[in-house]
Amino acid sequence: MKKILLSLSLLSTIGISITKAQYASEYDGGLVVKLNDDGSKFIRFILWGQTWFQDYEGKNVNDGFSIKRARVLAYSQINDRFMILTHFGANGIYDHNLTPTGKSNDVSMFLHEMFLQYKVTDNLAIGAGINNYGGISRGNGQGSINMLMLDNNRADWTTLGLSDQFANHLGLFAKGRFGKLNYRVALSDALTNTLDGNSSTVIQNGQEKYLGKAILGEGKYAVSGYFDYQFLDQESNALPYRVGTYLGAKKVFNIGAGFFNQSNAIVKRENDNLIGEDVTHLAVDVFYDAPIGKSSSVTAYAKYQNSAMGDSYLQGNVVGSGNQFSGHVGYLLPKNIEEGKHKYRNRIQPYVGYSYRDFKGLIKPANELKLGGNWYIDGQNSKISIEYQKSFDQPKNMDDMITIQAMILL
């Protein structure tokens, strides 16, 4: 006990404190190193990890244990005008991509984000680097430490691996708010090597690939933006990540709209000629999170998106030319809480989610139903989640999946 007290005293002396983000509303937890007496200059470290156990209907290479995410984020301010943020991490570590000596090309820590930011006025901040600002929807800007469902709806990350690296673009951004209107816009240097290949990829007649920049040398930049009017409580825009659930800590009702455009991003071959096609995404969405009574709350999100991507472009069954809808609802079960007790400890939150995608390249629409729940052992800092997914467009022996997640956030 004396050693613990001595250690805490030492941390306080050198200006280091540990805070807990109970509901991770504004990413204000983690380890804080104060660089001056009043704490206006600081470095904040946030660490989190998510481990999964999955069991698919039938045999699947990803059955069993895995590390979904292992992340470290740090950001620092020397005054209220300047900020720098770095975000490292590894994703998707399975038994089949681990190696005897840890030298795997498929498993590696990489730079998710690094951007510099300067506050011009109270209504405008600009920045540059690898960042998660821009459009298309709230789901496309979803953070990974406070999701309502087990994971984000994959179709919300429409640009992932096509114009960006793992949902983060390289370029310039501007953000801010005017009254209750929040905005973020970005000019990005689009990805050259995409999930569809690179400059050496051969495109056959009738094929469409997201490789305009690599093969045609066109479609270098993408422009995007997202605007949402926040009718009730105002959400923090200090960092780019949108909160999935506040567990009733705020009363939020937002209506948003976003866009994304990249010229000549799609390449298709017609009669031995290579032709470029523009990509445009347009989305509208609504988010609601509010307390109910003294201890429960509801969280709801819905999004509609239209994508124009060549004639019938398709990447898997999650990105394509056409229309999509997704939504989810969660309910934090009420609990008798004694005065002074931790409000977010040992809480249960069941939820349901649905995704529907009607893309031109699909034979029939793709859709999934997800049923699950979160057990908040200690708020968002420690939780266990379980989710069942039914995919209605998959073969009978591949249409069911159950996933269990354990997560710890510092």
Side-chain angles (χ1 to χ4, degrees):
M1 186 63 181
K2 289 182 179 180
K3 289 183 178 179
I4 295 175
L5 292 174
L6 181 61
S7 298
L8 292 174
S9 176
L10 179 60
L11 290 175
S12 177
T13 300
I14 63 177
I16 297 177
S17 62
I18 299 174
T19 59
K20 290 170 64 179
Q22 298 175 359
Y23 51 88
S25 68
E26 299 174 358
Y27 296 81
D28 54 0
L31 178 69
V32 181
V33 180
K34 297 179 181 179
L35 304 179
N36 60 356
D37 292 338
D38 64 5
S40 60
K41 298 180 180 181
F42 66 89
I43 302 174
R44 185 184 299 275
F45 298 92
I46 301 176
L47 297 84
W48 69 101
Q50 297 165 339
T51 61
W52 281 16
F53 176 83
Q54 289 181 293
D55 185 52
Y56 286 78
E57 180 76 13
K59 293 183 179 180
N60 189 287
V61 67
N62 292 335
D63 274 345
F65 295 98
S66 65
I67 296 175
K68 177 63 175 180
R69 295 179 180 92
R71 305 284 185 84
V72 178
L73 184 147
Y75 66 97
S76 176
Q77 288 191 211
I78 58 173
N79 58 45
D80 66 346
R81 288 194 176 275
F82 299 96
M83 187 179 80
I84 180 172
L85 179 144
T86 57
H87 178 189
F88 289 88
N91 309 284
I93 303 175
Y94 300 90
D95 59 346
H96 57 79
N97 59 14
L98 291 171
T99 63
T101 59
K103 297 179 180 179
S104 170
N105 292 328
D106 196 31
V107 177
S108 62
M109 294 283 288
F110 68 92
L111 183 66
H112 283 251
E113 294 171 274
M114 195 296 294
F115 62 81
L116 312 176
Q117 179 179 296
Y118 173 69
K119 186 176 80 170
V120 181
T121 70
D122 290 339
N123 305 112
L124 171 65
I126 59 174
I130 305 174
N131 67 88
N132 194 25
Y133 286 107
I136 307 163
S137 65
R138 184 185 185 94
N140 200 51
Q142 169 72 67
S144 61
I145 69 173
N146 47 38
M147 297 176 178
L148 171 69
M149 297 195 299
L150 179 78
D151 201 2
N152 196 33
N153 175 43
R154 173 61 180 85
D156 284 350
W157 280 320
T158 305
T159 60
L160 190 152
L162 297 175
S163 65
D164 64 41
Q165 175 178 270
F166 222 81
N168 298 299
H169 281 98
L170 174 63
L172 302 172
F173 66 85
K175 63 161 188 174
R177 74 170 84 235
F178 292 97
K180 294 186 176 183
L181 178 66
N182 247 347
Y183 71 90
R184 48 170 72 186
V185 292
L187 173 66
S188 305
D189 212 338
L191 205 67
T192 301
N193 304 310
T194 78
L195 289 173
D196 284 347
N198 51 45
S199 59
S200 62
T201 299
V202 177
I203 300 178
Q204 306 295 332
N205 276 326
Q207 284 188 328
E208 293 178 284
K209 298 289 186 180
Y210 206 111
L211 288 170
K213 186 174 180 180
I215 293 177
L216 300 178
E218 300 181 16
K220 179 173 176 57
Y221 297 109
V223 292
S224 61
Y226 180 71
F227 308 84
D228 60 335
Y229 193 85
Q230 304 183 356
F231 291 90
L232 302 177
D233 290 348
Q234 301 300 290
E235 297 187 90
S236 171
N237 64 357
L239 298 180
Y241 323 108
R242 305 312 294 263
V243 171
T245 176
Y246 284 102
L247 304 179
K250 285 178 176 284
K251 191 172 184 179
V252 178
F253 175 54
N254 301 347
I255 294 178
F259 72 94
F260 174 95
N261 178 263
Q262 185 183 354
S263 62
N264 293 306
I266 302 291
V267 181
K268 64 179 181 180
R269 181 180 291 274
E270 289 186 354
N271 301 321
D272 294 327
N273 295 317
L274 293 177
I275 301 171
E277 296 281 353
D278 296 350
V279 167
T280 300
H281 305 292
L282 300 172
V284 292
D285 58 8
V286 58
F287 176 72
Y288 182 72
D289 193 301
I292 300 176
K294 293 183 178 180
S295 63
S296 62
S297 67
V298 63
T299 302
Y301 177 66
K303 180 206 73 176
Y304 165 77
Q305 180 175 315
N306 173 266
S307 297
M309 308 180 73
D311 292 331
S312 56
Y313 175 83
L314 196 64
Q315 216 292 314
N317 72 347
V318 294
V319 179
S321 190
N323 300 301
Q324 61 169 284
F325 167 82
S326 63
H328 54 249
V329 178
Y331 177 64
L332 186 67
L333 298 180
K335 178 183 178 182
N336 291 327
I337 302 172
E338 297 179 20
E339 188 71 25
K341 293 293 184 180
H342 195 306
K343 185 177 179 180
Y344 303 103
R345 188 168 291 165
N346 289 322
R347 304 301 303 274
I348 303 297
Q349 183 190 43
Y351 63 80
V352 57
Y354 179 72
S355 175
Y356 175 88
R357 302 177 299 282
D358 187 9
F359 297 147
K360 296 177 183 178
L362 293 173
I363 298 174
K364 62 178 182 179
N367 55 108
E368 296 94 29
L369 175 67
K370 297 179 180 180
L371 302 172
N374 300 307
W375 170 29
Y376 296 98
I377 301 171
D378 192 8
Q380 297 281 14
N381 294 101
S382 177
K383 71 177 181 179
I384 292 176
S385 305
I386 184 168
E387 182 177 284
Y388 167 77
Q389 175 178 318
K390 176 73 171 180
S391 299
F392 297 100
D393 57 305
Q394 296 295 321
K396 286 295 184 183
N397 62 338
M398 299 173 60
D399 59 351
D400 288 25
M401 176 179 67
I402 189 166
T403 306
I404 301 172
Q405 172 185 265
M407 172 179 167
I408 290 180
L409 161 70
L410 172 60

